[in-house]
Amino acid sequence: MVDATLTPIDRGTITSDVNNTIEGFVRGTADEPNPETIMGEGPVYNIVIDHPEGTILWDTGSHPDAADGHWPEELHAAFEHTGLRPLEDDLADAGYDVSDVDYVIQTHLHLDHAGGLYAFEGTDTPIFVHEEELKYAYYAAKTDAGDDAYIAGDFDRDIDWEIVHRDRRQLFDGVEFVRLPGHTPGLLGVVLDLDDGTVILAGDQAYTRANYERELPMGGGLLWSKRDWFESLRLLKDLERRRDARVICGHAAADLEAMQDGL
């Protein structure tokens, strides 16, 4: 157990077709062959973890110029991100400066999670990322194959990478990485054994509460591997049971509000 605090940093809102986040949410029928698309909103957030061994930033959010050409136009049309501001400004509103951050955890390198890495370019701030994630991000961004949610301009920078090689790694006292492949090859969950209970930051292993609680997978465009996703879900639920943990999902408004209220 460790005496650490979590401060969520609201980074705006993503709006997209709910079929992206819940597979088959809207389905045509003989009676309704052309059902209306349902659009859903979800927050983008980062978390500052004030830990006795340093100040840790969990993810870095979207690039502030996402709507102005940093994201491909078709991607921003499909996943419109509003309320965008520079990472430095959102941290400042929460009482932090970029220079206060001792470590960064990149759960994965998708465009809505790694866009703030520019703020750490040329610094000696360690950026933790899984080996499989970094490899796949470069593969996807530098070739015509892979996932188009990786943008080289987010992560192909002068960054002090700290590579995580195994499926489990103890980072600091009460802070453990758990690899949860499925959404991406190297997504990192973070298990925090806090003095007042265990919290698991699941990230985009579960985009919404429905993905986790009802075991509904995300749409195919948001899954690198559905089989791995279900296996990671089993692992996550096992960790929840064994640790009596609270699981925080990647873009769930209720989870962001709970953190803002102090869990």
Side-chain angles (χ1 to χ4, degrees):
M1 300 293 182
V2 65
D3 182 14
T5 59
L6 308 184
T7 301
I9 311 293
D10 191 337
R11 305 297 314 287
T13 302
I14 282 185
T15 303
S16 72
D17 186 335
V18 177
N19 283 306
N20 288 314
T21 55
I22 300 176
E23 183 181 63
F25 186 79
V26 176
R27 297 175 183 267
T29 66
D31 293 332
E32 185 59 60
N34 298 298
E36 289 188 11
T37 297
I38 297 176
M39 302 298 286
E41 294 183 348
V44 175
Y45 63 88
N46 305 142
I47 304 170
V48 176
I49 305 168
D50 283 305
H51 188 279
E53 297 179 56
T55 300
I56 306 165
L57 178 64
W58 180 89
D59 271 347
T60 59
S62 301
H63 193 282
D65 295 331
D68 300 315
H70 187 79
W71 288 14
E73 184 176 349
E74 65 275 12
L75 268 178
H76 195 264
F79 297 91
E80 183 185 29
H81 191 164
T82 54
L84 274 168
R85 301 198 312 162
L87 174 63
E88 301 93 320
D89 294 351
D90 287 334
L91 282 173
D93 281 356
Y96 298 91
D97 188 85
V98 169
S99 62
D100 296 330
V101 176
D102 298 303
Y103 309 95
V104 175
I105 298 170
Q106 277 299 147
T107 62
H108 61 303
L109 295 172
H110 274 177
L111 71 179
D112 56 328
H113 292 262
L117 284 171
Y118 68 86
F120 300 95
E121 186 167 27
T123 74
D124 59 0
T125 304
I127 312 294
F128 289 89
V129 69
H130 197 277
E131 173 188 11
E132 296 300 326
E133 185 66 18
L134 192 59
K135 287 177 178 178
Y136 189 71
Y138 271 98
Y139 168 71
K142 298 291 190 176
T143 74
D144 293 332
D147 185 342
D148 60 6
Y150 293 100
I151 296 177
D154 286 338
F155 56 84
D156 189 16
R157 295 175 176 272
D158 177 16
I159 287 172
D160 185 11
W161 295 113
E162 180 70 26
I163 306 300
V164 179
H165 296 284
R166 300 184 298 277
D167 288 342
R168 305 283 287 265
R169 175 176 171 181
Q170 192 76 24
L171 177 57
F172 302 117
D173 183 28
V175 181
E176 182 185 13
F177 291 141
V178 179
R179 179 175 170 242
L180 299 170
H183 178 56
T184 70
L187 188 140
L188 286 174
V190 181
V191 180
L192 303 171
D193 284 321
L194 307 177
D195 282 349
D196 53 358
T198 299
V199 174
I200 301 175
L201 305 178
D204 281 8
Q205 162 62 23
Y207 198 99
T208 69
R209 295 303 308 176
N211 300 136
Y212 185 70
E213 293 169 355
R214 297 170 58 193
E215 302 189 3
L216 299 174
M218 292 169 276
L222 292 187
L223 286 183
W224 167 72
S225 167
K226 185 184 287 190
R227 183 182 67 180
D228 284 288
W229 184 83
F230 275 110
E231 290 178 357
S232 292
L233 185 64
R234 299 278 80 75
L235 171 60
L236 189 57
K237 292 207 166 192
D238 183 58
L239 284 170
E240 179 192 27
R241 287 190 297 270
R242 287 192 291 107
R243 308 286 277 273
D244 191 24
R246 177 160 190 162
V247 174
I248 303 296
C249 299
H251 294 273
D255 289 348
L256 174 59
E257 292 167 6
M259 286 188 289
Q260 290 169 332
D261 293 338
L263 292 177

